[in-house]
Every structure is written in structure tokens, then in C-alpha cells.
Amino acid sequence: MTTTRRLGTRVAMTRTGSLGAGAVVTRTRWLGVVVAVTVVVAVGSTGCAVIPVTGPHSVADAGGGDPLSKPFQRMIAIRPQKGWSPAQLIRGLQAAMAAYPDDPKILPSYLTPNALAKWDPSGPVNVIEDGFEVLPPGPRDGSDAVLKVSLKARWVAKINEDDSYVPTIGDWDGGAFELVKDAEDNYRVNDLPRGLLLTASDVARAYRATNLYYLSRNPQDPRLVADRVWLRLKPTESFAQTILERLIEPPTSALQGGAVTTSFPPGTQVKSITHGDDRVVVNLSGGLDPVRDESLLAQIRYSLNRNEVAKGRTIEVQVDGEVYGLDQPNSDERWLDDSSDTAYYVNRGAVHYLGKDGPAGTVQGPAGEPREGYSGFALSREGDGLIAARTSTGISVAGLTQEGRWQEVIRGADLTAPTWHRDGSLWTYDRQNAALLRYDPAGGGGAQRVTFPLKGLDVTRFRIARDGVRVAVTTGKNTVQIGAFIEGAGGTQPGNFHMLTTTEIGEKILDLAWEDADHLLVLIENKAGQILNQVNVGDGETVGVPLKEALGSLAAQGDRVLAATDDGAKVVELNQDQKTWTAKIESDGGAPLFPLG
């Protein structure tokens, strides 16, 4: 795969040395306009890499000895220098913003008392591309005493106050900087936009994309649900501490409103995290139930291990120094998606099993018989044994047994392909009547309308993730939105929608499929051919998948990605190298599918 959204690489002048406890960093000798020093450190440790002074170059991460930490590069900003031009001052200010969370003392030296009194560092962090340009200033009063300076830059993303990362498109237009001269005839910033402005390399250097794990709302079928955040590395604490401090807080806005819950009661605090060769000890305090809570241990385990922290070690959780529970490295995976990876495909309206090396027989009952006019097939959880399909008059369901019969359960002339929730309910969107419909096979009665915030848009697909929490919706030909099931006035309903990705003008989305609860596969067609992207639904990170031939439909489950060619004849599977495909069926193939998703 090829990653198509990158954070870039910050180029900076550096000095030889290391940054340990009590270290003193001396001022560098200036070569051109150098406004900051990057020092490579490991969070929570005193180990550092030695960086030679050889001019502008890319600085790689250094390894650290602390298994609870992540290596990172710390930005050391300097105060403005005498005689700096407006462009030099703005670049120095931006570097001071990059260093501000670790060292807030430098940035005020760039500001007048007026600006310092008004400027607020809180709010979203704006991220722009590295190669930003400081435009020539324009005078504000007919002289060079008061200047207005703007930036020309591409806006990459914003990091919200809840630590969510939101990709953006277009030019950054966050406002201008007003510069005035001080008593010594040096420029200082008298007015500036609110918040911190970082480059993509600043973010790559000081932040880490992190999955926090919360719980789905169904106590009978608890799942861990990943919430993607971008956490800033701190030189004063281990990354494990940073993760757990954030985990005990509410999830990001994408999963609020009752989409998920947590086993951490209000008031929980992380007192300490220590480690030995084979054990990590997490000491908590607060109103935790004295009875061991397996879900709390699972939240801690996956939030640490899935972010490559404490991996392979026993995690001992304490409450006020008393042992609460042990979590072994080989603990079961039941908290994550347990959906079957049994693969199927549809040929001439009949559903077939897809074995490792090709066709493996048809399913039982009428679903295994050829049938005209049925499309958009969807399988329930394997234990439920139901299949749904769209017809010209509605959605029909059949059991995968010899006694099963097709029965129309939702009527409508213009419905999206059906999708199953892991609770056993069936969903579709009625485009003609702008209504989201839910049918419960176990509840009796017909389909029920569900409150839906996107009903005014041209909804073309509605797909539920296997964890039963997130939903993906396509609107029109080229936009994907992500939401989650929340608690509304009328009960459980989709909400919290935000745009995940959109295509260029002239392109259209041909199909999409949930790969797992965190990633969506999106098949796009343009004049040059097709593009297949894997998109992280938490932060929009997009990875391109090479294509060998044109595809018509997708299905995925974990590591397995299947596709039918656009003529429907072949079924191909993506190999483990994520670059090449192998044909599973050379002819008489059809649309592949997995249970749920």
C-alpha cells in the first residue's frame, strides 16, 4: 500500500548535544535564518541521540530505552534576534508556537504587551504544510512602523481540543499578523490569530496517532471500540501515562452522545505507572468497584498494547497500591470484532461459499438458487443465518436453511442496499421518501422509521460497521460521511456525522466496504481508471491499494479483501503484501461478501 497523506518532514538546523535532566542548551551559531533547534529525546527518559551540525537536514527519530515511551524530537525555540525582518520574525514565532507546550517562556518575547494580553493559545491547533510562505508585508499607516503580514500555506488539518485530528482541504486563511516596531526599532507582533499554528513536521515530531479503547453500549455483547486521537508527547511523563490520562476522560465528539461507555468511574486518577522486565504496574485511585472488572482491564490492555506500549508484558492494575487485577499478554481477543471470515459470492442471484482455492458449494435453501432481480446481498452474523437482498419492490430476507423462504420485509421502490447490525436488525435508506428504516426479525411487525440527520442529502449508501457502533454513508457520487449510533429522543439513532473523504470533481465512488471497525475501503473511478483507498475513519489517514484490473464491488473482513472484477466474471483477493492480487475464481464469479460489514 502507498500512504497518500503524509505529515511531511521538518527541516531544521540542529546542534551536537543531548538533553537530559538539568541539561543546558546553548545558543546555536546562525547560518541563514535558523529559528529553532530540534533535540531527539525519548519521552520520560534521559536518553538522547547525538545530532551533528551539518546544515539543514531531516532528523530521524531516536530509539529510547523506556518500553513505556515513544521517541520524539523536541523543538527548542529561541527569542527574536535584533534586526530580524518581518518574515524572519513570523517564522521564529511559528517555531516558538511549536515549542510552546513544552516551553511557554519563549513565545511571549515575540509579542507586544497588547498582543500578549489578547492572544489565547487554546482552541484547535491549526496544521499547515511545511513549505509555507510569508508574503511581503503591506504598510498599515503609510510607513514601515506598522505592517500587516499574511501567510500563503496549504491547510492540512486541525487538532481539536478533544485531541481528534480532522483533515482539511484548501488554503489556510486564519487571519493576518500585525507587526509594529518597538523602542529599539525591532519588529514585534501586535496582533495575531488565536491558537497555535504548527507545520505538518511539527505534528509528526511531537504527536502520535493513538487508539483509545472504549466500550460499546450493549452489556450482553460488549465490544471494544477504538477512538482515534492525536496525543502530544511530553518530556515530563511516559507515553503510557499520557495514554491512560486521556483514556479516563470522555471520548472525542465522534463517539459522544452515548455511542460508547467506559468502565472508569468519574474521579479516577492515574497515580503512577512503573515497569520491570516483564510487568507493567498501573496504580489508579478513585471510586473503582473493588470487584475485578474485566472490561476495565481490557480497556487498559488494548490502549497500551495496540499503541506498541507495554506490549508483551503482564499488566498489573492496582487501586491505591492494592492489586486489583492482572492482565496476561496472551489474554483472549473476545473484546474485539469476532465476526466470521467465511467468504461468499453471488452468481446469477445464487449465494455460494468461497473456499481457500475457489468455489466451495452453494448455501442451503432458496438463497442458493439462481434468481433474477436480486442484488445488494447482505449477510447477518453467522449464528443468525439470515441473508437480505434488494429487489425492485423492496428488501427481502431468507434463512440459510433448506426450509428458508424469501420474504419481503421492507417495501420501497428506491432503497439502498441492506445492511445488518450485529444486534440482528436490518437497515436501509428509503431514497424516495427520505427515511431511514429499521426492521427487527425478532420483534415482529414491519419496518420502523428512525430519526436521521442526513435525510435532506442524496444518500446513496448506508453501511454499518461490524462493531455495531459506527456507520458509513455516501452522499451523492463522491462524499463519504462517518457517524455513530447514539441515544436520541426516539431511541438509538445514527448521529455525530462528519465528512470523512470526498473525491475530485469528475470522480465517483463505485463501492465501499468496512475492512474492520477502524478502516473503510473506498473504490473510486475517474477518467484515468480506478483508485482503491483504505481510510482510517478516526483521522482520515488514507493508504492507496494498487489495482491490477478494474473492479466492480468489494468485501472485506480483517486481513482479507475480496473484489469482483467490473464484468463480474472474476473474484480476486488481495495478497498479504497488500500490493498484488490473486484470482480465486476465473469465470462465473460475482460480488463477494462476508457476514456483517
Side-chain angles (χ1 to χ4, degrees), residues 345 347 564-572 584-591:
Y345 70 97
N347 177 258
T565 53
D566 62 349
D567 60 4
K570 293 172 63 176
V571 176
V572 295
K584 296 297 180 180
I585 300 177
E586 292 285 358
S587 61
D588 293 325

Side-chain angles (χ1 to χ4, degrees), residues 113 458 494:
D458 179 22

Side-chain angles (χ1 to χ4, degrees), residues 397-421:
V397 173
L400 297 180
T401 64
Q402 199 61 44
E403 298 77 23
R405 294 291 182 268
W406 283 109
Q407 178 184 359
E408 187 171 84
V409 297
I410 303 176
R411 291 192 60 82
D414 191 8
L415 305 178
T416 61
T419 181
W420 292 94
H421 192 284

Side-chain angles (χ1 to χ4, degrees), residues 432-446:
Q432 188 175 66
N433 297 301
L436 180 65
L437 304 176
R438 177 186 186 272
Y439 169 73
D440 184 0

Side-chain angles (χ1 to χ4, degrees), residues 284-305:
L284 305 175
S285 67
L288 281 82
D289 191 318
V291 178
R292 171 181 166 131
D293 188 336
E294 296 290 346
S295 61
L296 184 144
L297 297 178
Q299 282 187 258
I300 293 174
R301 180 211 316 167
Y302 284 98
S303 295
L304 293 181
N305 290 350

Side-chain angles (χ1 to χ4, degrees), residues 301-384:
R301 180 211 316 167
Y302 284 98
S303 295
L304 293 181
N305 290 350
R306 288 300 171 106
N307 294 296
E308 302 298 323
V309 178
K311 193 171 184 179
R313 290 173 167 79
T314 297
I315 298 175
E316 177 183 318
V317 178
Q318 299 178 351
V319 177
D320 295 322
E322 298 294 329
V323 176
Y324 178 83
L326 294 177
D327 194 86
Q328 303 297 336
N330 59 350
S331 298
D332 64 84
E333 299 286 315
R334 65 188 174 90
W335 295 98
L336 298 181
D337 180 45
D338 60 353
S339 299
S340 169
D341 64 353
T342 303
Y344 304 79
Y345 70 97
V346 181
N347 177 258
R348 297 184 178 90
V351 182
H352 302 257
Y353 291 103
L354 179 63
K356 181 179 180 181
D357 300 315
T362 59
V363 301
Q364 289 187 330
E369 302 169 358
R371 187 174 296 266
E372 295 293 331
Y374 281 52
S375 64
F377 288 79
L379 280 158
S380 66
R381 292 178 69 178
E382 193 165 60
D384 296 340

